[in-house]
Amino acid sequence: MKQIQFSRELSSGIQTLLLHKLRSFLTMLGVVFGVGSVVAMLAVGEGASKEALEQIRKLGSHNILISSVKPAEEDAAGTTPSFMSIYGLTYMDHERIAQSFSSVKKNVPVKLVRKEARIGHRAVELRVVGTSDQWFEVIPRPVLGGRTLMQKDLDAKSPVVILTEFGARKLLATRQTIGQTIRIGVDSFTVIGIVKNETGASGAMQIPDREIDAYIPITTAMSYFGDVVIKMSSGSRLREKVELNQIIVQVASLDQVEPSARAIERMLSLFHKKKDFQIQVPLALLKQAEATKRTFNIVLGAIAGISLLVGGIGIMNIMLASVTERTREIGIRRAIGAKRKQIIIQFLIEAMVLSFVGGILGLAMGVAIPFFITWFAKMPTVITPMGILLPLCVSLGIGIVFGLYPAARAARVDPIVALRHE
């Protein structure tokens, strides 16, 4: 019986709203734009956040990145031909870290040199990464062909190279890749593997590999390229000596990451008279990014609340006007036996229908906006179930909250006074 009565009230409410289609539509607009903007903002925020977190995770949550940094005083120093800037991490630092910390599971040296690679008439500038076989364990990348570095390559100082998918495509085009001989600088290297590369950066932290990287044994890099780099700047020759550009340390457990990073920094400070290194901890960045994401969601929620509040006020305003317009109708219903509860339900249903339909239309708009953002701006967007359900439920709640006062006001109307109302 109650279901039949509710269906009758719902049908009556919808018919009443359809009598004033334009006014009902304009009333819903506040909720439509409120829900639409919330769904779109949550999708854009979730997409940006997910991409940032993914980039940090690629760095390895167990890893500590130690990088050489050129001190500011080195730039201010003279540029005479005899001057040579010496800074950064050393081979001894690499050995000290391996010998001093039991928490260290892997300790990977990295030496970077920019060289032109050539085969036939095709040439491309590569970032040559001299490293050990453990690189591909701390920065795992799918092997697309051949193999990665092995200890025997380091022991024999083998002239072998592993290209990224991008580098192989640029340099070798459609040729057979594995076993090809390419020239890097003036030296010949044999291609032994192709790996899939990752690109991008996360905040101030640069992802260790790039699409133009080529990996060779560090012993080969030391033997072939040395430690001194000569740079030409404004007609001057700048000589820099950097033994290692980076050391990647992997510790055994997550609990040891940040304490180990602090201990390594203290130890390196004892042996470096100037601040020529920096330590970055992906795990700390990951925690910071997740905290930022939570704050971002709270801010978006607050904006959503304001948008929907405006929509709710619009619904209440129209419902109050409707109560005034329909005072005589209310009086007739009360005179023929309608109870106050039924009057409340009637107006409450109308308010809920307005907010629910507005929420559905807003949801459609909110889903379409991220689609076009991804399509045109190539920005990642993610629509989560919570990003849909939350604005929809809030819009329905807005209808109940802001429809309750006009409904109660309608129910309090004196039937006799209402019947005299013109």
Side-chain angles (χ1 to χ4, degrees), residues 29-50:
L29 280 183
V31 177
V32 171
F33 287 116
V35 172
S37 60
V38 171
V39 173
M41 282 192 296
L42 287 176
V44 173
E46 189 69 25
S49 173
K50 185 178 180 181

Side-chain angles (χ1 to χ4, degrees), residues 22-303:
L22 180 61
R23 188 173 73 178
S24 300
F25 176 72
L26 294 176
T27 305
M28 287 188 297
L29 280 183
V31 177
V32 171
F33 287 116
V35 172
S37 60
V38 171
V39 173
M41 282 192 296
L42 287 176
V44 173
E46 189 69 25
S49 173
K50 185 178 180 181
E51 187 181 33
L53 294 175
E54 187 62 27
Q55 295 286 1
I56 294 173
R57 286 194 183 96
K58 285 176 183 174
L59 298 174
S61 55
H62 287 69
N63 293 346
I64 301 168
L65 307 183
I66 312 164
S67 304
S68 293
V69 177
K70 188 176 184 179
E73 56 265 29
E74 294 291 331
D75 286 327
T79 57
T80 58
S82 59
F83 179 81
M84 183 163 64
S85 177
I86 304 174
Y87 63 91
L89 301 167
T90 65
Y91 302 121
M92 189 58 72
D93 290 332
H94 176 249
E95 290 185 17
R96 287 194 190 103
I97 292 172
Q99 294 170 1
S100 304
F101 300 97
S102 58
S103 60
V104 173
K105 186 179 174 184
K106 291 185 173 61
N107 183 22
V108 181
V110 180
K111 190 174 186 61
L112 305 174
V113 183
R114 280 196 171 272
K115 290 286 180 183
E116 183 186 71
R118 178 177 291 277
I119 180 169
H121 297 294
R122 299 181 70 89
V124 62
E125 186 180 85
L126 297 177
R127 191 181 73 160
V128 181
V129 181
T131 187
S132 69
D133 55 320
Q134 291 186 334
W135 166 280
F136 298 96
E137 296 174 21
V138 298
I139 311 290
R141 297 288 181 260
V143 179
L144 302 178
R147 64 174 176 85
T148 58
L149 294 175
M150 300 175 71
Q151 185 60 44
K152 65 179 183 181
D153 299 320
L154 278 78
D155 296 338
K157 300 180 182 178
S158 303
V160 294
V161 61
I162 297 162
L163 297 175
T164 63
E165 183 183 12
F166 175 84
R169 196 183 308 119
K170 284 283 184 184
L171 196 59
L172 301 173
T174 57
R175 301 185 188 194
Q176 176 67 33
T177 52
I178 308 301
Q180 282 281 357
T181 298
I182 64 173
R183 293 188 71 79
I184 299 179
V186 296
D187 303 297
S188 298
F189 286 78
T190 302
V191 179
I192 60 170
I194 307 293
V195 296
K196 186 175 178 61
N197 56 280
E198 301 287 348
T199 60
S202 178
M205 182 174 288
Q206 190 176 71
I207 287 180
D209 61 343
R210 297 179 182 173
E211 59 185 9
I212 58 168
D213 281 352
Y215 306 93
I216 66 173
I218 189 167
T219 50
T220 308
M222 293 163 60
S223 177
Y224 283 34
F225 306 128
D227 299 327
V228 178
V229 177
I230 299 176
K231 296 181 177 178
M232 301 299 294
S233 176
S234 303
S236 302
R237 297 177 62 190
L238 303 177
R239 295 197 302 161
E240 293 183 356
K241 181 179 180 181
V242 180
E243 294 185 5
L244 289 176
N245 297 89
Q246 200 172 57
I247 298 173
I248 303 175
V249 176
Q250 187 179 77
V251 298
S253 69
L254 284 178
D255 296 339
Q256 296 172 323
V257 174
E258 292 180 88
S260 297
R262 289 193 291 270
I264 290 172
E265 185 169 21
R266 285 195 297 272
M267 188 202 73
L268 291 178
S269 298
L270 294 176
F271 295 97
H272 288 251
K273 295 180 182 178
K274 48 195 175 186
K275 186 64 176 177
D276 55 357
F277 67 91
Q278 69 174 5
I279 294 182
Q280 297 169 312
V281 182
L283 180 63
L285 280 184
L286 185 63
K287 291 179 180 176
Q288 184 181 353
E290 288 175 339
T292 304
K293 179 187 173 185
R294 285 194 292 273
T295 305
F296 194 60
N297 286 341
I298 291 173
V299 172
L300 286 178
I303 296 172

Side-chain angles (χ1 to χ4, degrees), residues 292-327:
T292 304
K293 179 187 173 185
R294 285 194 292 273
T295 305
F296 194 60
N297 286 341
I298 291 173
V299 172
L300 286 178
I303 296 172
I306 294 171
S307 302
L308 290 172
L309 183 66
V310 172
I313 291 172
I315 289 177
M316 186 169 69
N317 190 33
I318 292 299
M319 291 305 298
L320 284 172
S322 178
V323 170
T324 304
E325 288 176 359
R326 295 158 63 189
T327 302

